[in-house]
Every structure is written in structure tokens, then in C-alpha cells.
Amino acid sequence: MKILVLNAGSSSLKYQLFNMESSEVLAKGTCERIGAGGFITHKRGGEAYTEEVDFPNHGVALEKVLSLLCSKEYGVIASIDEINAVGHRVAHGGEMLKESSIITESVIKYLENIVPINPLHGPPAIAGIKACLELMPAVTQVAVFDTSFYSTVEDSRFVYAIPYEFYEEDKIRRYGFHGTSHRYVSAKLAEVLGKPIEDLKIITCHLGNGSSITAINGGKAMDTSMGFTPQEGVVMGTRSGTIDPTVVTYLMKTKGYSAQEVEDILNKKSGLLGVSGISNDLRNVVDAANQGNKRAELAIQLLINSIKKLIGAYTAEMNGLDALVFTAGIGENQHNIREMVCENMSYLGIEIDKDKNEHFTRGIPFDITKEGAHVATWIIPTDEEYMIAIDTQRLASK
Ligand code: ADP
């Protein structure tokens, strides 16, 4: 079975074509600058091909993707008829879409209805789905939601303590994001430990440019750090993470900022970038800190503290912890950050082997637990696209 996975952003369209029998990625790539020029990078095996193309919309970008996948020079299939199903990454499934779903008219309608609570990611995802339905009307389309992994979180953990009608009428609540990644790495962890996930209390740390931490108790998400939007939780590349909400109104009142301006400050100019004044990329912030830059040091310490606090909170919520997982760009690559997070956590049973942590092998699940520690600590490379392909295969085969 061949499955095309699509991830449509506001000006981009990422794709991967999987051969499910061999779990192999046949080709992948990205269309960028959609709506403002256009550029495609297409990869097949080790070869990469790039071309400037005008992409007025997601539909034209998808047409280009399909033609490259089928082309003589760069292609991997003879015709689009070889694609058995398409899996779409959809950030927000609202309250109704609690699991990955075959796309129908009513799914699209619901996604359109919740655009007000998902204004950035909703419209491009819908555009990608519609383009696909038009170009491949006979092929099963599946939507996989970042939020659906959190359908098991209880209301005592997702309702904000504000007047209840804002939840009932406006659907203001915590939703959680990155669910596909947390689901993938927790399942992988259970597999490598050789234990049923139902028996495990796991905390997964997805630390990238956007970051979130999730408590998974017996295979079910119990709590997570992102909330109504991906803004809540730990310190991120350009996002503040959790702050006192009065900061927002104070800035508006005293500086005369509009709602949009404050949102931009908290979303695009805060986090590691805002505190260090150097970069949203942790590598640059670490370099600066190593050269004695105090604000870079502070930004890193804020990040570490925000992660540690949540690990403590989630261990308390689950009444214990069996395993801690690091994943995504920072979690998979930055041993210094893993070491700082795990420092002074032996009370909770978390102790890592510094040597294994520093000399880890990239790209595979890697155990960094210190001998004798109560909590297993692992690096597990995430693979959201493959998880989407698996869900798509399962639903399309029914
Ligand atoms: P996104 O959330 O946009 O998918 P990533 O998961 O790629 O981002 O994470 C980006 C962060 O991960 C950056 O702060 C960067 O410093 C870090 N990172 C990514 N790759 C590496 C690497 N090979 N070595 C060290 N740090 C990395």
C-alpha cells in the first residue's frame, strides 16, 4: 500500500510518500512560499531536486507534487493511481473529532466551523484537503489531528477557571497539541521496553522550536502543557509559554498595543529569542551562553526550569513515573539540555548516565538511564508522518 502524507501550512505544503509494506519513504519534499512566489524541494533517496515554480495556492502546489512523484526523472510511481490513500496532518480537531477520521463532507464542515479557534492552521489544512479531493476524488482521504490524543484528558485538567460559559459557548478550553508525536514516541517506548503501555506512567518531552510535555498514564494522555493554543506551557523558540495573563492587558493599557501586536510579541518575539535577544535556535543561544552571554544563559535556564516544573507536576498527577522520553529537534540532539533537565531529579527516580547521554546514537531509540535508576530515560526520534501513514492505512483498509 502506498500512502501520501500531506502537511499544509499557511505558505507551505510538506509531503512524504510511504511504501507501507517496507515502511520506507519513497520520496518527500516541501513546497514553500505558496501565495507569494513558489519553490519546491523534492527528495528521492539521497538525491534532491529544487525548482522555482509559481504557487498561487495549495492546489497548484499539490499538482506539482503529484507530477514530480510520477515524473520519469524524479518520480517513484508510474501514475497517481498507485497512491492508495492520503493522510492529512490537521492541527486542530476541536472537541468533536476525537480520533483520526476518514474525510467526509461533514468532517470538512466541522473543520470550517472551528476556524475561529484555529485561525492559523485551519484554513491551509482545509485548502490542502479540498485540493486533494479535487485532484484525487477516488482516493480515501484521512485526517489525523494533533489534538485527538488528548480526548482522554478529564475536564478537571482542560477547563480554565474562567466563567464557564466561555467554555460552553466559545469552546475556550485547553486542547493540547503535538499529540501525534507524543502518541508515536510513547508507543515506541513501550515497544523498546517490551512492556504493555497500559502498565506504564510516561512523561514525553517534545522539545523543538515549539515544545510540549505530556503525561501519559496507561497509554492515555492525562495532561499536557499546551492549551487553548500552542502558546501555553514551556518556554519555546519564539513563544513565551505560560505567563500571567494580566501581562497582556497591562501591555495593552500602558503601551497602547493592539491585541494583534501583543499576540505577535508573545508568539513570535518571546521565548529563547525574546530573552536572549540572539536567536530562536537553541544552538545559537547555547553558543552565546558558552561565550559568557548572560541573557543567553538566562534564556536557557528559563527553558530548563519550565520543563523541570512540569515533569514534577506530572509525576505528582500520575502518582509516579516509569519513563521519561526526549524527542524532537532539541530533545533528540542537545545532550546538554537533557543533562540539565535531569539534574537534581533523583528524588523522582530520574538519573541519567552522562556518558551515554553525551555519546548517544542519533536517529534510533536510545537508552540513557543510569544503572539502578527507578525511571527509564530514553531518547526516541519522533516520526509524526509515519504515525499519520499508519492511521491512514488502518482506516483506508477498513
Ligand atoms: P520544529 O518545532 O520547528 O519542528 P525542530 O523539532 O526541528 O523544530 O527543533 C528546532 C530546535 O531543535 C532548534 O532550537 C535547534 O537548535 C534544535 N536542533 C535541531 N536539530 C539539531 C541538531 N542536529 N543539533 C542540535 N540542535 C538541533
PDB file of all heavy atoms in Angstrom, residues 208-210 280-283 328-330 333-334, ligand 1:
ATOM      1  N   GLY A 208      11.202  21.180  20.569  1.00  0.00           N
ATOM      2  CA  GLY A 208      11.663  21.642  19.259  1.00  0.00           C
ATOM      3  C   GLY A 208      11.605  23.149  19.255  1.00  0.00           C
ATOM      4  O   GLY A 208      11.840  23.791  20.282  1.00  0.00           O
ATOM      5  N   ASN A 209      11.247  23.713  18.125  1.00  0.00           N
ATOM      6  CA  ASN A 209      11.025  25.153  18.088  1.00  0.00           C
ATOM      7  C   ASN A 209       9.744  25.460  18.855  1.00  0.00           C
ATOM      8  O   ASN A 209       9.659  26.407  19.629  1.00  0.00           O
ATOM      9  CB  ASN A 209      10.929  25.579  16.626  1.00  0.00           C
ATOM     10  CG  ASN A 209      11.265  27.026  16.464  1.00  0.00           C
ATOM     11  OD1 ASN A 209      11.907  27.636  17.316  1.00  0.00           O
ATOM     12  ND2 ASN A 209      10.793  27.597  15.385  1.00  0.00           N
ATOM     13  N   GLY A 210       8.733  24.617  18.649  1.00  0.00           N
ATOM     14  CA  GLY A 210       7.570  24.581  19.537  1.00  0.00           C
ATOM     15  C   GLY A 210       7.762  23.365  20.446  1.00  0.00           C
ATOM     16  O   GLY A 210       8.269  22.348  19.993  1.00  0.00           O
ATOM     17  N   ASN A 280      16.108  32.250  18.003  1.00  0.00           N
ATOM     18  CA  ASN A 280      15.132  31.264  18.477  1.00  0.00           C
ATOM     19  C   ASN A 280      15.737  29.860  18.428  1.00  0.00           C
ATOM     20  O   ASN A 280      15.190  28.923  18.966  1.00  0.00           O
ATOM     21  CB  ASN A 280      13.860  31.305  17.622  1.00  0.00           C
ATOM     22  CG  ASN A 280      14.129  30.858  16.207  1.00  0.00           C
ATOM     23  OD1 ASN A 280      15.058  31.352  15.558  1.00  0.00           O
ATOM     24  ND2 ASN A 280      13.351  29.922  15.712  1.00  0.00           N
ATOM     25  N   ASP A 281      16.871  29.748  17.724  1.00  0.00           N
ATOM     26  CA  ASP A 281      17.512  28.436  17.581  1.00  0.00           C
ATOM     27  C   ASP A 281      18.417  28.203  18.787  1.00  0.00           C
ATOM     28  O   ASP A 281      19.371  28.959  19.016  1.00  0.00           O
ATOM     29  CB  ASP A 281      18.317  28.400  16.268  1.00  0.00           C
ATOM     30  CG  ASP A 281      18.815  27.000  15.944  1.00  0.00           C
ATOM     31  OD1 ASP A 281      19.357  26.328  16.855  1.00  0.00           O
ATOM     32  OD2 ASP A 281      18.648  26.567  14.788  1.00  0.00           O
ATOM     33  N   LEU A 282      18.124  27.162  19.528  1.00  0.00           N
ATOM     34  CA  LEU A 282      18.845  26.912  20.781  1.00  0.00           C
ATOM     35  C   LEU A 282      20.343  26.743  20.562  1.00  0.00           C
ATOM     36  O   LEU A 282      21.145  27.086  21.432  1.00  0.00           O
ATOM     37  CB  LEU A 282      18.243  25.683  21.479  1.00  0.00           C
ATOM     38  CG  LEU A 282      18.737  25.410  22.886  1.00  0.00           C
ATOM     39  CD1 LEU A 282      18.518  26.584  23.814  1.00  0.00           C
ATOM     40  CD2 LEU A 282      18.058  24.185  23.463  1.00  0.00           C
ATOM     41  N   ARG A 283      20.727  26.240  19.382  1.00  0.00           N
ATOM     42  CA  ARG A 283      22.172  26.072  19.120  1.00  0.00           C
ATOM     43  C   ARG A 283      22.906  27.410  19.245  1.00  0.00           C
ATOM     44  O   ARG A 283      23.971  27.491  19.852  1.00  0.00           O
ATOM     45  CB  ARG A 283      22.400  25.511  17.710  1.00  0.00           C
ATOM     46  CG  ARG A 283      22.148  24.035  17.615  1.00  0.00           C
ATOM     47  CD  ARG A 283      22.125  23.561  16.188  1.00  0.00           C
ATOM     48  NE  ARG A 283      20.876  23.957  15.540  1.00  0.00           N
ATOM     49  CZ  ARG A 283      20.375  23.359  14.477  1.00  0.00           C
ATOM     50  NH1 ARG A 283      21.021  22.357  13.931  1.00  0.00           N
ATOM     51  NH2 ARG A 283      19.241  23.760  13.955  1.00  0.00           N
ATOM     52  N   ALA A 328      12.144  15.279  19.380  1.00  0.00           N
ATOM     53  CA  ALA A 328      12.152  16.479  18.521  1.00  0.00           C
ATOM     54  C   ALA A 328      13.538  17.139  18.516  1.00  0.00           C
ATOM     55  O   ALA A 328      14.453  16.661  19.189  1.00  0.00           O
ATOM     56  CB  ALA A 328      11.067  17.456  18.902  1.00  0.00           C
ATOM     57  N   GLY A 329      13.668  18.231  17.755  1.00  0.00           N
ATOM     58  CA  GLY A 329      14.983  18.820  17.451  1.00  0.00           C
ATOM     59  C   GLY A 329      15.902  18.964  18.653  1.00  0.00           C
ATOM     60  O   GLY A 329      17.067  18.533  18.610  1.00  0.00           O
ATOM     61  N   ILE A 330      15.410  19.566  19.726  1.00  0.00           N
ATOM     62  CA  ILE A 330      16.250  19.768  20.914  1.00  0.00           C
ATOM     63  C   ILE A 330      16.371  18.458  21.691  1.00  0.00           C
ATOM     64  O   ILE A 330      17.475  18.038  22.060  1.00  0.00           O
ATOM     65  CB  ILE A 330      15.634  20.872  21.815  1.00  0.00           C
ATOM     66  CG1 ILE A 330      15.676  22.220  21.100  1.00  0.00           C
ATOM     67  CG2 ILE A 330      16.361  20.934  23.162  1.00  0.00           C
ATOM     68  CD1 ILE A 330      14.877  23.322  21.775  1.00  0.00           C
ATOM     69  N   ASN A 333      18.684  15.963  19.991  1.00  0.00           N
ATOM     70  CA  ASN A 333      20.047  16.330  19.603  1.00  0.00           C
ATOM     71  C   ASN A 333      20.894  17.000  20.674  1.00  0.00           C
ATOM     72  O   ASN A 333      22.105  16.955  20.597  1.00  0.00           O
ATOM     73  CB  ASN A 333      19.992  17.267  18.385  1.00  0.00           C
ATOM     74  CG  ASN A 333      19.452  16.560  17.156  1.00  0.00           C
ATOM     75  OD1 ASN A 333      20.060  15.606  16.679  1.00  0.00           O
ATOM     76  ND2 ASN A 333      18.308  16.987  16.671  1.00  0.00           N
ATOM     77  N   GLN A 334      20.264  17.678  21.636  1.00  0.00           N
ATOM     78  CA  GLN A 334      21.055  18.520  22.551  1.00  0.00           C
ATOM     79  C   GLN A 334      21.244  17.832  23.899  1.00  0.00           C
ATOM     80  O   GLN A 334      20.416  17.975  24.805  1.00  0.00           O
ATOM     81  CB  GLN A 334      20.347  19.869  22.701  1.00  0.00           C
ATOM     82  CG  GLN A 334      20.123  20.530  21.353  1.00  0.00           C
ATOM     83  CD  GLN A 334      20.549  21.980  21.316  1.00  0.00           C
ATOM     84  OE1 GLN A 334      21.043  22.518  22.283  1.00  0.00           O
ATOM     85  NE2 GLN A 334      20.339  22.612  20.185  1.00  0.00           N
TER      86      GLN A 334
HETATM   87  P1  ADP B   1      10.081  22.412  14.832  1.00  0.00           P
HETATM   88  O1  ADP B   1       9.408  22.542  16.155  1.00  0.00           O
HETATM   89  O2  ADP B   1      10.005  23.652  14.008  1.00  0.00           O
HETATM   90  O3  ADP B   1       9.756  21.134  14.079  1.00  0.00           O
HETATM   91  P2  ADP B   1      12.632  21.146  15.457  1.00  0.00           P
HETATM   92  O4  ADP B   1      11.999  19.969  16.086  1.00  0.00           O
HETATM   93  O5  ADP B   1      13.497  20.934  14.268  1.00  0.00           O
HETATM   94  O6  ADP B   1      11.624  22.321  15.172  1.00  0.00           O
HETATM   95  O7  ADP B   1      13.532  21.834  16.590  1.00  0.00           O
HETATM   96  C1  ADP B   1      14.252  23.015  16.393  1.00  0.00           C
HETATM   97  C2  ADP B   1      15.226  23.163  17.565  1.00  0.00           C
HETATM   98  O8  ADP B   1      15.990  21.975  17.661  1.00  0.00           O
HETATM   99  C3  ADP B   1      16.193  24.313  17.442  1.00  0.00           C
HETATM  100  O9  ADP B   1      16.210  25.062  18.642  1.00  0.00           O
HETATM  101  C4  ADP B   1      17.544  23.663  17.213  1.00  0.00           C
HETATM  102  O10 ADP B   1      18.536  24.290  17.975  1.00  0.00           O
HETATM  103  C5  ADP B   1      17.357  22.243  17.690  1.00  0.00           C
HETATM  104  N1  ADP B   1      18.026  21.301  16.770  1.00  0.00           N
HETATM  105  C6  ADP B   1      17.505  20.772  15.638  1.00  0.00           C
HETATM  106  N2  ADP B   1      18.399  19.943  15.039  1.00  0.00           N
HETATM  107  C7  ADP B   1      19.516  19.971  15.798  1.00  0.00           C
HETATM  108  C8  ADP B   1      20.793  19.330  15.725  1.00  0.00           C
HETATM  109  N3  ADP B   1      21.107  18.494  14.734  1.00  0.00           N
HETATM  110  N4  ADP B   1      21.683  19.586  16.698  1.00  0.00           N
HETATM  111  C9  ADP B   1      21.374  20.401  17.715  1.00  0.00           C
HETATM  112  N5  ADP B   1      20.187  21.042  17.836  1.00  0.00           N
HETATM  113  C10 ADP B   1      19.275  20.829  16.918  1.00  0.00           C
END
